[in-house]
Amino acid sequence: MAEVRANKKVVLKDFITGFPKESDMEIVTTDTVRLKVPEGSKAVLLKNMYLSCDPYTLWRMRKHDEPPSVPGSVITGFGVGKVVDSSHPDFKVGDFVWGMTGWEEYSLITETEMLFKIRYTDVPLSYYTGLLGMAGFTAYIGFHEISSPKKGEYVFVSAASGAVGQLVGQLAKLMGCYVVGSAGSDEKVNLLKNKFGFDEAFNYKKEPDLSAALKRLFPEGIDIYFENVGGPMLDAVLINMRTHGRIAGCGMISQYNLEKPEGVHNSLYLVTKRIRMEGFLFSDFFHKYHQFEEIIGEYIKDGKITYVEDKAEGLENAPAALLGLFGGRNVGKQLVVISHE
């Protein structure tokens, strides 16, 4: 008989409407797991180590046509784990992996299409929740594939101190671009300028006129806008874009918890300035992941990239850590530590 272990988990109590609350989620400590994959399957059993907190996780908890999570089920998202048992030829016991998993101590993964074996174990494994995982890959694809950057261009990144934004800014600087970021506190602004090497940064909460702030920092206009927030910031950017500018639509965190999303009032500039705005999902580019991993891995080894993580210890703190994203409480990549081994 296979060993049976307790399996603490975070479950969705009810579909989230409006602004999320910790009470929408529940910590369950009574479940158990059998440490053996089912006979005849190609499943992988993981001991989860790190969980990634992403705005995307919240979307999976809202009611829509085919919600990934339903009330009573374990919340799912990206994470890092160690293979405890496997009948899949690509994953062996002892391998470290990252990909889609459950917010629980152990997860049985039967759909392995979004599971990746970790090749670089000489960097912190937690990096695969962010820098070398979904967030980093999103930054790389959005900047290099969607934005079509050129040396010397003017780049603006919103939510720039977050998991995606901090890497976008550094990639732009490595290309020789002028880079400005916005963030929601003076601490984060200092981080952007003094740790991540942004040319300038501003606290959007202290700017009564966002368009004027962008005009001050981009007197010649913006070539590339890496869009993470939407709402009034997008409107202000459209006024300040240069002709033939590009906008990479990565996320719109200011809109996720609104029952009625805000409209965009300056969309005419898309026409008059011939601006290309394109949304994207990193999953459309999985075929480029190993290319990304090698490039960023070399940047890390050479000291060309720096990264900041905000770690919450313990699965029981996962709900608060997730909600902290929407209040700007995190500094850097927010993740949850379940187990260091």
Side-chain angles (χ1 to χ4, degrees):
M1 294 291 290
E3 184 180 354
V4 175
R5 292 272 184 92
N7 192 27
K8 185 189 296 185
K9 57 182 61 179
V10 184
V11 301
L12 180 64
K13 287 179 66 176
D14 201 357
F15 286 122
I16 290 176
T17 58
F19 200 87
K21 308 176 295 298
E22 285 191 50
S23 58
D24 294 323
M25 296 165 268
E26 182 180 16
I27 308 296
V28 174
T29 59
T30 54
D31 279 10
T32 59
V33 61
R34 184 170 176 262
L35 299 186
K36 189 74 177 173
V37 300
E39 292 286 341
S41 71
K42 285 191 175 182
V44 178
L45 181 66
L46 297 182
K47 180 181 180 181
N48 292 313
M49 300 171 64
Y50 304 101
L51 297 177
S52 175
C53 291
D54 305 295
Y56 166 78
T57 305
L58 193 67
W59 177 86
R60 299 174 65 84
M61 297 157 63
R62 294 190 182 278
K63 189 173 184 178
H64 36 83
D65 291 342
E66 294 182 11
S69 298
V70 295
S73 68
V74 66
I75 292 169
T76 55
F78 289 95
V80 171
K82 186 175 184 179
V83 177
V84 174
D85 192 33
S86 171
S87 55
H88 195 289
D90 296 339
F91 305 101
K92 295 178 173 54
V93 173
D95 283 348
F96 293 105
V97 300
W98 78 272
M100 189 60 66
T101 188
W103 281 33
E104 54 191 345
E105 292 176 310
Y106 294 90
S107 291
L108 181 67
I109 311 297
T110 57
E111 297 178 3
T112 58
E113 295 81 4
M114 295 185 73
L115 206 61
F116 299 86
K117 183 176 176 179
I118 290 175
R119 298 193 296 164
Y120 296 104
T121 56
D122 55 346
V123 300
L125 291 175
S126 59
Y127 277 14
Y128 281 86
T129 65
L131 179 55
L132 287 166
M134 186 269 281
F137 191 37
T138 297
Y140 178 84
I141 292 299
F143 184 65
H144 285 293
E145 298 290 330
I146 305 298
S147 302
S148 304
K150 302 179 188 67
K151 182 178 179 179
E153 289 194 309
Y154 300 96
V155 178
F156 175 52
V157 186
S158 55
S161 68
V164 176
Q166 60 178 279
L167 183 56
V168 173
Q170 292 178 80
L171 291 173
K173 287 303 299 177
L174 286 168
M175 274 207 69
C177 296
Y178 170 82
V179 186
V180 175
S182 64
S185 73
D186 291 344
E187 177 190 9
K188 293 178 181 180
V189 167
N190 289 332
L191 195 67
L192 292 174
K193 293 195 290 186
N194 299 323
K195 190 172 184 68
F196 300 136
F198 283 59
D199 294 289
E200 286 291 347
F202 66 95
N203 182 344
Y204 70 89
K205 294 179 180 179
K206 290 187 171 181
E207 297 289 346
D209 185 333
L210 291 174
S211 180
L214 291 173
K215 182 66 175 176
R216 181 178 75 242
L217 294 165
F218 291 100
E220 297 183 49
I222 300 166
D223 291 299
I224 294 172
Y225 172 43
F226 200 95
E227 167 67 299
N228 285 312
V229 300
M233 186 66 82
L234 175 58
D235 257 337
V237 167
L238 287 170
I239 296 173
N240 287 279
M241 290 293 290
R242 301 180 80 182
T243 301
H244 299 298
R246 288 87 70 203
I247 299 175
C250 175
M252 299 200 175
I253 195 170
S254 73
Q255 305 300 297
Y256 294 161
N257 298 318
L258 302 181
E259 293 188 13
K260 185 178 180 181
E262 296 171 303
V264 177
H265 305 284
N266 293 323
S267 56
L268 180 61
Y269 287 100
L270 290 167
V271 179
T272 59
K273 295 187 177 185
R274 284 83 86 197
I275 298 166
R276 175 170 61 83
M277 182 173 183
E278 182 178 351
F280 69 98
L281 295 176
F282 79 102
S283 54
D284 294 335
F285 296 87
F286 275 158
H287 59 286
K288 290 183 176 286
Y289 176 73
H290 287 311
Q291 171 189 314
F292 151 80
E293 186 183 28
E294 288 177 7
I295 291 171
I296 301 301
E298 286 299 313
Y299 283 161
I300 295 170
K301 186 168 65 176
D302 295 341
K304 294 180 178 180
I305 289 288
T306 188
Y307 205 65
V308 172
E309 297 178 313
D310 193 331
K311 295 179 180 179
E313 293 281 344
L315 187 60
E316 64 278 5
N317 291 313
L322 177 63
L323 300 193
L325 295 176
F326 301 93
R329 293 202 300 267
N330 61 300
V331 178
K333 169 62 189 173
Q334 182 67 66
L335 62 130
V336 177
V337 181
I338 302 178
S339 169
H340 292 279
E341 177 54 58

